[in-house]
Structures are given as structure tokens and as C-alpha cells.
């Protein structure tokens, strides 16, 4: 059974939904794609789950979510991460590996080309 978390922002009822393994795989596959786009939500919250996860879990469109304030989106992100802890942990691990690779790449001397 998929978990859900119902909550409200002002008088608007919202629901964060647990993602399936298939949905998570589709998202992680798309992260490394050259077609992957960075948008305003991803730039506002760079250390959080990708906006694609937020939209999928909340069953919202990008147009709908842009009508919320950053503080309201942060409440949504908290709910989505709470209901999808495995995915949130995966994103933290991937970010950590990415930072490590960048650090190792930048600390290595220039290539011998």
C-alpha cells in the first residue's frame, strides 16, 4: 500500500504520495540525461529532491506549483521527503558522491595532453 501524507497550506488541502520503484527509476534515469532541465524550483532548493519528484508526488504541474511561494514549496518538499525517505536518502548519497568526484577532479593536476 502506498503511503500518503495529507496536509494543508492555508486552506488548501494537499497530499504527498509515496513513489513506486518504477517512478524512482524513471527519475534517476532522467537525472543524467543531456535533456535534463534545471528550473527555478531546482535552483531555489539545490540541496533538496529534484522538482520532478515534487511534482510527481504532489500530482501537480509545473504551472500549478509556481503559484506557491518558496516557503510553501518548502513545506511541500518536507512532506514529500518525509513520505519518500528512501528516495531522499538516495539523493543525498548521490550528491555526496558527486561532490567527492568534483573535489577529486579539481584537485588533480592538469591532464598530460
Amino acid at each position: 500500500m502506498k503511503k500518503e501524507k495529507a496536509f494543508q497550506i492555508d486552506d488548501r488541502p494537499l497530499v504527498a504520495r509515496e513513489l513506486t520503484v518504477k517512478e524512482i527509476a524513471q527519475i534517476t534515469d532522467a537525472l543524467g540525461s543531456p535533456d535534463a532541465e534545471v528550473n527555478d524550483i531546482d535552483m531555489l532548493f539545490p540541496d533538496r529532491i529534484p522538482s520532478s519528484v515534487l511534482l510527481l508526488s504532489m500530482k501537480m504541474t509545473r504551472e500549478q506549483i509556481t503559484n506557491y511561494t518558496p516557503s510553501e514549496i518548502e513545506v511541500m518538499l518536507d512532506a514529500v521527503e518525509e513520505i519518500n525517505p528512501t528516495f531522499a536518502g538516495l539523493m543525498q548519497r548521490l550528491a555526496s558522491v558527486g561532490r567527492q568526484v568534483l573535489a577529486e577532479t579539481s584537485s588533480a593536476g592538469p591532464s598530460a595532453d
Side-chain angles (χ1 to χ4, degrees):
M1 175 175 85
K2 285 175 103 173
K3 296 187 292 183
E4 293 185 345
K5 177 179 178 150
F7 61 103
Q8 285 190 307
I9 293 180
D10 295 328
D11 60 345
R12 297 170 285 193
L14 299 167
V15 178
R17 294 165 185 82
E18 183 178 24
L19 301 179
T20 65
V21 172
K22 183 178 181 176
E23 291 168 326
I24 291 169
Q26 289 170 340
I27 291 165
T28 55
D29 288 348
L31 289 177
S33 166
D35 298 331
E37 64 179 54
V38 177
N39 60 61
D40 293 340
I41 296 168
D42 293 321
M43 289 188 292
L44 286 169
F45 302 99
D47 296 324
R48 304 294 295 261
I49 57 171
S51 62
S52 57
V53 175
L54 176 66
L55 296 173
L56 188 58
S57 177
M58 298 296 298
K59 293 196 176 183
M60 290 184 160
T61 65
R62 197 162 303 283
E63 179 68 29
Q64 289 171 315
I65 205 123
T66 57
N67 291 315
Y68 288 88
T69 65
S71 61
E72 292 170 328
I73 292 172
E74 193 159 23
V75 170
M76 290 181 217
L77 287 165
D78 290 341
V80 171
E81 289 174 351
E82 180 183 330
I83 205 76
N84 291 283
T86 304
F87 184 83
L90 170 65
M91 293 310 301
Q92 290 174 348
R93 289 188 298 280
L94 288 174
S96 176
V97 168
R99 283 190 293 273
Q100 182 179 0
V101 168
L102 281 174
E104 289 172 2
T105 303
S106 63
S107 65
S111 64
D113 288 347

